[in-house]
């Protein structure tokens, strides 16, 4: 098997792993001194984000754009309080710089409300799709990391990187 064939076969798996890491990657406790991050309306001082599926979609796309663009600190800012409590911003950045594939756009394919404070969004990167939960906290939509992500984050960056390398899901290993 040549390098191109191996790469072609591994690329979808690596893309799915990158999406999984995004859903799993979250970070530290929130700090009131930091500027709130949200969609464009809230970031511009326009008040609370709309508690609608469109508001959730806009916030989710912002998270995905930051993540795929390599702005891991900015993506971390858009996590729920529980996500931030699971991993520090510094560890989140270190983990993603080591294991995430940057530059591959993540696009929303659909979304729906689940009650009044949660939305489920489906995002696709290359051929892999995954669902994410957006939770409405403190007048803004935030990405709620999956249970698997929270467990990984609680290991800290060094151990989480080792776990991902062992599993073959660290894109840069």
């Amino acid at each position: 098997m040549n390098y191109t064939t191996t790469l072609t076969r591994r690329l979808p798996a690596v893309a799915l792993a990158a999406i999984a890491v995004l859903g799993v990657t979250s970070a530290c406790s929130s700090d009131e001194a930091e500027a709130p991050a949200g969609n464009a309306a809230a970031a511009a001082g326009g008040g609370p984000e709309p508690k609608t599926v469109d508001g959730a979609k806009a916030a989710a796309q912002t998270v995905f754009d930051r993540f795929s663009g390599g702005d891991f600190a900015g993506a971390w800012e858009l996590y729920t309080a529980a996500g931030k409590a699971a991993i520090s911003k510094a560890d989140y950045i270190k983990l993603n710089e080591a294991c995430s594939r940057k530059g591959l756009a993540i696009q929303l394919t659909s979304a729906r409300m689940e009650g009044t404070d949660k939305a489920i969004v489906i995002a696709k990167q290359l051929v892999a799709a995954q669902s994410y939960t957006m939770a409405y906290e403190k007048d803004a939509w935030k990405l709620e990391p999956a249970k698997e992500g929270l467990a990984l984050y609680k290991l800290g960056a060094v151990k989480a990187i080792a776990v991902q390398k062992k599993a073959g899901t660290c894109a840069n290993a």
Side-chain angles (χ1 to χ4, degrees):
M1 186 178 314
N2 66 30
Y3 176 77
T4 304
T5 304
T6 302
L7 182 61
T8 304
R9 288 184 178 167
R10 273 193 80 196
L11 192 56
V14 170
L16 183 57
I19 290 175
V21 167
L22 175 61
V24 173
T25 17
S26 76
C28 223
S29 60
S30 63
D31 183 359
E32 293 299 324
E34 294 179 9
N39 72 16
E49 292 181 12
K51 218 175 190 184
T52 63
V53 71
D54 287 337
K57 285 169 56 178
Q61 190 62 61
T62 299
V63 175
F64 301 144
D65 289 348
R66 288 180 182 184
F67 187 86
S68 64
D71 179 11
F72 303 124
W76 181 88
E77 291 294 338
L78 298 174
Y79 275 85
T80 60
K84 289 179 177 181
I87 188 169
S88 70
K89 184 190 286 188
D91 273 2
Y92 181 80
I93 293 166
K94 185 175 182 176
L95 169 61
N96 285 295
E97 284 179 346
C99 289
S100 294
R101 184 169 304 283
K102 295 180 282 200
L104 297 175
I106 302 169
Q107 296 297 317
L108 289 178
T109 58
S110 65
R112 66 177 176 80
M113 291 297 293
E114 187 165 290
T116 59
D117 294 330
K118 286 199 175 190
I120 307 300
V121 298
I122 307 297
K124 185 175 182 180
Q125 188 178 44
L126 294 177
V127 296
Q130 184 170 331
S131 67
Y132 296 90
T133 300
M134 299 297 292
Y136 199 80
E137 287 184 352
K138 297 183 181 179
D139 293 332
W141 287 103
K142 303 290 183 176
L143 182 68
E144 183 177 279
K147 290 181 286 183
E148 301 83 6
L150 290 173
L152 182 69
Y153 296 151
K154 289 179 180 179
L155 297 175
V158 173
K159 287 182 182 177
I161 291 166
V163 165
Q164 288 202 316
K165 284 183 177 181
K166 185 175 181 180
T169 57
C170 187
N172 300 318

